[in-house]
Amino acid sequence: MLTLTSASSALTLFPECKTQRRRFTISAAADDKFPSFLPKQMEEIKDPFARKLATRIERLPVNASFSEKSIMSSCVKPLIQSSQNPVVLLHGFDSSCLEWRYTFPLLEEAGLETWAIDILGWGFSNLERTKSCDVASKREHFYQLWKSYIKRPMTLVGPSLGAAVAVDFAVNNPEAVENLVLIDASVYAEGTGNLAKLPRAAAYAGVSILKSFPLRLYINFLAFKGVSFDTGLDWVNIGKLHCLYPWWEDATVSFMISGGYNVSRQIDQVKQKTLIIWGEDDQIISNKLAVRLHCELPNSIIRQIPDCGHLPHVEKPDSAARLILEFLQNYSCQKKAQLAPTEEVVY
C-alpha cells in the first residue's frame, strides 16, 4: 500500500489563496474492472494506483483531417467540474496516461478539474486505421480533442518529451493554453536525429528493440533514484502495456521517420506563464538545461526537487503536486489582485 499526502482545497479553488493537507490511501483490489480495450496484461499489474487510474480510462471519438474515421482516443476525464480552467496532463515519450497514477489523484483531491491525455501514437487509443503519427498529426489530434471536449484554456503539463509537445501546442494554439508546466523538459533535442534517415526495415528493427524488457528496465533504473527492484519491474510492465497493441510499431515508426519534435526555436515564442520543475538528480537530462530554459522562457519560474530523478510526478508525486498547486494558487491570486489593485500579493 502506498500513502500519499494530498494538498486539497475547496472546489472553489484557492478562495483565500491557501491550501490544506490531508492523507489518503489506495489499496489494490482484486475486482478492479478495467475497460475491455486495455491489454489483458493489465490484470498482472500490482501497483494499486495504476490499477485504480486504469479503471477510469475511456476512449472518446476525435475527428482529424488525416483519418477517414473518428479516432477512439484514450484519456482520463475529470470527476469534477471547476470554475477554474482545467489542468491537462500529457505524458513522456512512448508512455501513457498511467504515468500520472500517483500525482493525478493528488491534483484531483485538491479540487482541480484534471484530465490525463494519451498523445496520439502512444497510450491506449485505437490506431488500427490511423497511419500518421508525426508531429503535425499529434498536434491536430490534440487540438481536436481539446476543441470537442475540454473547450476552455488549460494549464498544460508536459514531462520529458511531453514538454516539447506542450511547447509546440502552446505556440501553435495559444488560445487553448493559459499556463504551462514543464517537467524535466526534453526541449533541446533535435528531433529523432539520424533515426529519421533509417530505411523503413531498419526503423522497425530499432522499434522492436525499444519495447524489449531489458532496455526498458535499464531506462527505468536510469530515470528513477532509489527505486527497489520489485517496484522497478512493475513500473516497466506498466510502461510497456501500450506496446502490446498491434499498431504500436507502425505508430512509433511513423513518428521516428518523420523527424520528431524539434522545438528549441519555439521556446522564445511561448507567451504563457510557465512553471519549470526539475529533479536535481536527473540522469537523463541535465538540470543545467533547466537553468537555460528558465533564461530563455520570457515568463517563467523554476523549482527543483532534491533527491529526485527524471520523472518527479512518478518518483516524488507529493512534491510535484504541491509545486503545481502553488503555481496555480499564486496565478489565481495574481489575477484577483489585478481586479483589486490595492491588495498586495507576493508572488
Side-chain angles (χ1 to χ4, degrees):
M1 180 183 297
L2 178 65
T3 302
L4 302 179
T5 303
S6 174
S8 62
S9 62
L11 297 186
T12 53
L13 285 179
F14 317 129
E16 299 176 358
C17 297
K18 298 178 180 178
T19 57
Q20 301 170 345
R21 297 178 69 81
R22 66 190 186 88
R23 299 183 69 82
F24 66 95
T25 60
I26 293 180
S27 302
D31 59 347
D32 287 326
K33 297 188 182 301
F34 303 118
S36 60
F37 57 78
L38 291 184
K40 66 180 185 300
Q41 288 84 351
M42 184 68 224
E43 296 285 354
E44 301 170 10
I45 299 301
K46 300 175 183 177
D47 189 313
F49 287 84
R51 293 177 66 90
K52 183 69 173 179
L53 192 61
T55 64
R56 291 181 53 187
I57 298 175
E58 55 186 288
R59 284 174 171 172
L60 304 175
V62 174
N63 296 316
S65 63
F66 56 86
S67 179
E68 294 182 0
K69 294 188 176 181
S70 295
I71 302 169
M72 298 305 296
S73 306
S74 52
C75 67
V76 180
K77 292 171 61 178
L79 288 178
I80 64 169
Q81 288 189 332
S82 169
S83 59
Q84 301 292 325
N85 285 335
V87 173
V88 178
L89 309 173
L90 302 176
H91 54 73
F93 172 73
D94 194 25
S95 186
S96 76
C97 58
L98 291 180
E99 192 176 296
W100 288 97
R101 56 193 176 273
Y102 303 134
T103 304
F104 187 100
L106 294 174
L107 298 176
E108 200 163 63
E109 286 285 325
L112 295 176
E113 183 178 332
T114 308
W115 293 73
I117 304 294
D118 279 337
I119 299 167
L120 182 75
W122 302 310
F124 305 106
S125 299
N126 187 334
L127 304 180
E128 188 173 9
R129 300 179 181 276
T130 304
K131 303 301 181 184
S132 179
C133 289
D134 58 13
V135 169
S137 299
K138 292 178 189 293
R139 184 194 310 127
E140 181 188 345
H141 171 263
F142 184 27
Y143 179 78
Q144 294 301 331
L145 188 151
W146 172 82
K147 183 179 178 182
S148 298
Y149 300 101
I150 301 173
K151 301 179 181 180
R152 289 180 289 156
M154 57 188 164
T155 294
L156 184 57
V157 185
S160 195
L161 187 69
V165 179
V167 167
D168 175 78
F169 189 85
V171 170
N172 284 280
N173 303 286
E175 74 282 3
V177 182
E178 183 176 32
N179 298 306
L180 283 174
V181 178
L182 307 180
I183 303 175
D184 291 70
S186 178
V187 291
Y188 292 110
E190 297 181 357
T192 54
N194 291 329
L195 296 176
K197 302 176 182 178
L198 288 176
R200 186 169 287 270
Y204 274 95
V207 164
S208 66
I209 296 174
L210 179 62
K211 71 175 179 180
S212 68
F213 192 88
L215 178 61
R216 286 184 173 259
L217 185 63
Y218 170 73
I219 294 173
N220 195 75
F221 282 100
L222 192 63
F224 302 110
K225 182 178 173 65
V227 175
S228 71
F229 185 76
D230 287 344
T231 297
L233 288 179
D234 199 41
W235 286 7
V236 170
N237 288 327
I238 294 168
K240 67 193 296 286
L241 281 169
H242 65 285
C243 302
L244 301 172
Y245 286 124
W247 50 76
W248 174 81
E249 288 189 354
D250 292 336
T252 305
V253 168
S254 172
F255 175 73
M256 181 188 300
I257 64 177
S258 73
Y261 282 92
N262 188 348
V263 301
S264 59
R265 295 182 180 179
Q266 293 178 293
I267 291 172
D268 63 0
Q269 300 175 46
V270 173
K271 306 303 181 185
Q272 293 86 351
K273 184 74 176 178
T274 303
L275 168 64
I276 301 167
I277 299 175
W278 219 278
E280 286 187 355
D281 297 318
D282 190 338
Q283 299 300 306
I284 295 179
I285 304 177
S286 170
N287 62 2
K288 293 180 180 178
L289 291 178
V291 178
R292 175 182 171 182
L293 182 59
H294 182 222
C295 293
E296 294 181 2
L297 271 175
N299 191 18
S300 66
I301 59 173
I302 183 172
R303 299 289 183 267
Q304 298 202 49
I305 299 178
D307 197 34
C308 181
H310 183 59
L311 298 176
H313 55 297
V314 180
E315 190 173 353
K316 300 282 188 179
D318 281 342
S319 297
R322 176 179 54 80
L323 290 174
I324 293 171
L325 288 166
E326 289 176 354
F327 172 67
L328 295 178
Q329 177 188 60
N330 290 331
Y331 180 78
S332 176
C333 290
Q334 191 176 58
K335 287 205 305 185
K336 289 181 179 179
Q338 292 173 351
L339 298 176
T342 58
E343 297 180 11
E344 183 178 354
V345 176
V346 178
Y347 187 77

